Amino acid sequence: MKTGKISESILKRSVLKGIEKVHSEVIKGAGVGEDCAFLSWKECDDSKEDESSVMAVSTQTIALGVSDAAFLAVMAAANNLAAAGAEAWAVTLAVTLPEGAEETLLKELMEQAFHCCRKLKIQVVGGHTEVSRSVRRPVVTATVVGVYQKNAVLMDAEKGKLAGEINNSECPPAGLDIVVSKWIGMEGTSIIAREKETELLKRYPPSLVRMAKEHRNYLSIASEAATALKSGVYAMHDVRNGGIFGALWEISRKLGVGLCVDLKKIPVRQETIEVCEFYNLNPYELLSGGMLIMLSRDGKRLVENLENEGINASLIGSTNDGNDKIIVNQEEIRYLEPPVPDEIHKILFF
């Protein structure tokens, strides 16, 4: 298998096919394009004896060997919850260090995790740490748990249907506007700028490299997800591995719709363009944590609501009742294919 996220066909054949539902409390479990699971449980408060709540859980691993692996792992897992309409509360961490690693490395990784937790207002509640000769660089896995938000009410527990999602058999999600927040490639840009700063400074001014590093400040999608839920969004999907092209493919497959997107309307910052040009990367297939895809019946209103909250947003296309996933670039038309390994894997980090 190739480096990076495994393909959809392998996922279905070797992972999802063997999963069996054991407990009725599992409202929604693993699936293609499903990054967050939901479980129900009864409230412990005696005054709420008959009231049930919904817990959300998601896991992300960072094995790139980058200096801020713990920060990125916690952020990515928390973003999965936000995109699913849940609020993150706590995180457990599994940290595996290479043989010979110093204690200072562990302290540095934990401080990154604590910094991300302070930013997101969550806390570390447990985990596991070990040293292994099987890894050459730190591997960090974050499992974030939280609750389904009060303003995103569970609609049909029997079918696993949650607010903000469409039941295809009842209402085919065609004719929805596709809105995205912020810019593509932010996570990849910030990683490259931090890890390859010396190389980049040989070509670009310090101000550009600094701004590229600061893309990390925009990686949380909690704010736009909350605004989208209040605006009556139909579905959300956070953009990460495989970039915007990979995420568009995933949400199209998940909802069973076609789509048409205007390439020129997909927002990208100049720092990302320059970094991708330097390393000959495709910015549309670059790690894009910090961007959220939102499907809405009224995309213009959603964009306006997001911008009123100080969040950059763009309406880039719409869904349709076909099967094609079309990207339009002026007179040129391209059809999206299944996601390929993220462009970030073309660069080696040691």
Side-chain angles (χ1 to χ4, degrees):
M1 293 184 288
K2 296 181 180 179
T3 299
K5 190 174 181 179
I6 65 172
S7 68
E8 180 181 319
S9 58
I10 294 177
L11 176 67
K12 288 180 176 179
R13 185 170 62 243
S14 299
V15 180
L16 300 179
K17 186 178 179 180
I19 295 177
E20 299 177 355
K21 185 166 183 177
V22 178
H23 298 288
S24 60
E25 288 81 5
V26 178
I27 299 175
K28 185 178 180 184
V32 175
E34 302 289 357
D35 297 321
C36 184
F38 290 94
L39 312 173
S40 65
W41 83 98
K42 295 294 183 180
E43 291 281 6
C44 296
D45 189 342
D46 291 338
S47 65
K48 302 178 180 179
E49 185 176 351
D50 296 326
E51 183 176 341
S52 62
S53 297
V54 179
M55 179 178 74
V57 59
S58 182
T59 297
Q60 284 285 344
T61 295
I62 301 294
L64 275 175
V66 295
S67 58
D68 52 354
F71 179 96
L72 296 174
V74 176
M75 182 65 75
N79 278 349
N80 286 344
L81 263 67
E87 179 183 4
W89 278 10
V91 59
T92 63
L93 290 171
V95 180
T96 303
L97 300 175
E99 194 173 35
E102 300 289 339
E103 183 181 350
T104 53
L105 176 58
L106 178 59
K107 287 183 177 180
E108 181 182 336
L109 288 169
M110 292 309 302
E111 182 50 45
Q112 292 172 22
F114 297 148
H115 173 60
C116 190
C117 286
R118 287 190 292 268
K119 188 179 182 72
L120 299 174
K121 295 181 174 58
I122 64 177
Q123 70 179 81
V124 175
V125 295
H128 174 75
T129 54
E130 70 172 89
V131 175
S132 172
R133 66 181 62 181
S134 298
V135 301
R136 294 182 299 166
R137 55 182 69 92
V139 176
V140 181
T141 297
T143 299
V144 173
V145 296
V147 294
Y148 206 59
Q149 294 188 55
K150 298 299 183 183
N151 63 344
V153 181
L154 184 67
M155 296 173 66
D156 189 342
E158 291 295 322
K159 296 180 180 179
K161 179 185 175 186
L162 304 172
E165 295 186 337
I166 296 174
N167 186 308
N168 293 345
S169 63
E170 297 175 2
C171 178
L176 297 172
D177 291 329
I178 303 174
V179 174
V180 296
S181 66
K182 302 197 285 278
W183 310 272
I184 62 170
M186 289 185 296
E187 185 175 3
T189 299
S190 66
I191 289 173
I192 296 169
R194 287 171 180 273
E195 304 299 323
K196 302 293 185 180
E197 182 175 7
T198 302
E199 287 183 6
L200 291 170
L201 286 172
K202 294 177 181 178
R203 177 170 177 178
Y204 300 113
S207 59
L208 185 141
V209 177
R210 174 178 51 78
M211 287 189 291
K213 290 167 63 177
E214 291 175 354
H215 281 212
R216 194 177 80 156
N217 297 333
Y218 302 101
L219 296 187
S220 174
I221 62 167
S223 295
E224 51 260 52
T227 299
L229 284 172
K230 294 175 184 176
S231 302
V233 70
Y234 267 72
M236 299 186 290
H237 189 72
D238 56 317
V239 185
R240 198 166 180 271
N241 284 296
I244 184 65
F245 283 174
L248 287 170
W249 171 276
E250 286 183 348
I251 198 166
S252 172
R253 293 278 289 176
K254 176 181 175 181
L255 297 180
V257 295
L259 54 82
C260 183
V261 169
D262 187 338
L263 188 73
K264 296 295 184 182
K265 293 183 178 180
I266 297 176
V268 56
R269 288 181 57 158
Q270 190 62 35
E271 302 90 78
T272 296
I273 293 173
E274 300 293 346
V275 167
C276 287
E277 181 179 302
F278 187 87
Y279 291 102
N280 193 28
L281 306 177
N282 183 345
Y284 301 99
E285 295 175 346
L286 178 64
L287 204 60
S288 292
M291 172 176 272
L292 179 66
I293 295 177
M294 296 154 279
L295 303 186
S296 170
R297 290 289 183 194
D298 190 348
K300 290 183 179 179
R301 176 173 168 269
L302 177 56
V303 168
E304 182 179 329
N305 290 345
L306 289 165
E307 291 183 339
N308 286 340
E309 295 295 326
I311 302 166
N312 186 79
S314 305
L315 200 170
I316 64 171
S318 61
T319 64
N320 56 62
D321 56 6
N323 294 316
D324 293 333
K325 305 160 186 58
I326 300 172
I327 305 295
V328 179
N329 184 12
Q330 295 180 336
E331 302 301 320
E332 180 184 350
I333 292 179
R334 121 171 224 182
Y335 294 87
L336 280 183
E337 299 177 351
V340 296
D342 197 283
E343 291 287 272
I344 197 75
H345 295 293
K346 293 182 178 179
I347 301 179
L348 297 177
F349 301 110
F350 297 102

